[in-house]
Amino acid sequence: MINRSLISVLIYFFVMVNLKAQDFGITVNVSDSGSEQNYNLSIGFSPDATDGYDSDFDEYAPPAPPPPIFDAALTWGSDRFYTQIVNGSADDLVEHQFVISMTYDTGNSNIITWDNTGWGDMMSSSLIQD
């Protein structure tokens, strides 16, 4: 039996654009079908950020409420974030994996939306996988 109360979506970014520092961010909106609650989750790169917590860039998310209350957050390491910006310096051009963890509401349906206009100019590839 599959536990459908918690799902994860992996977002991979591999940046190799002229081997220069990367400085961009994107926002993914995650919402549920029942209460119409939604979260804007932002991920990105900055040459001034680290791959850990940076108070100038990152925003922690509170602990998840108990199901069936809808929740969504980025998970990075063992922490939960609404915003996670990682190192985008020219000496750290490696693949980064971001995970969006969500719980289903009583309607058993979540919706993920984003605007990928210009992504081809920002990175060489990206993959969003359920």
Side-chain angles (χ1 to χ4, degrees), residues 39-42 59-62 71-74 80-84:
Y39 295 92
N40 284 325
L41 306 177
S42 299
E59 179 186 358
Y60 278 121
D71 179 67
L74 299 165
R80 291 170 38 91
F81 293 90
Y82 289 137
T83 301
Q84 176 62 26

Side-chain angles (χ1 to χ4, degrees), residues 12-129:
Y12 293 96
F13 289 106
F14 186 67
V15 179
M16 287 294 270
V17 181
N18 301 325
L19 296 177
K20 62 182 180 180
Q22 301 300 304
D23 193 4
F24 69 90
I26 64 163
T27 299
V28 176
N29 181 273
V30 183
S31 61
D32 71 337
S33 62
S35 68
E36 298 184 21
Q37 171 106 19
N38 71 76
Y39 295 92
N40 284 325
L41 306 177
S42 299
I43 54 181
F45 295 88
S46 172
D48 299 322
T50 68
D51 283 354
Y53 174 77
D54 299 299
S55 61
D56 291 340
F57 300 104
D58 304 325
E59 179 186 358
Y60 278 121
I69 299 170
F70 171 71
D71 179 67
L74 299 165
T75 55
W76 185 260
S78 59
D79 293 320
R80 291 170 38 91
F81 293 90
Y82 289 137
T83 301
Q84 176 62 26
I85 307 299
V86 296
N87 187 332
S89 66
D91 62 347
D92 188 30
L93 297 177
V94 297
E95 180 179 278
H96 286 78
Q97 173 181 312
F98 298 87
V99 178
I100 300 173
S101 294
M102 299 173 281
T103 55
Y104 283 104
D105 70 342
T106 55
N108 220 16
S109 179
N110 291 344
I111 302 162
I112 302 173
T113 59
W114 63 92
D115 178 2
N116 62 348
T117 303
W119 283 21
D121 298 329
M122 293 187 293
M123 64 191 102
S124 58
S125 68
S126 62
L127 169 70
I128 298 178
Q129 174 182 331

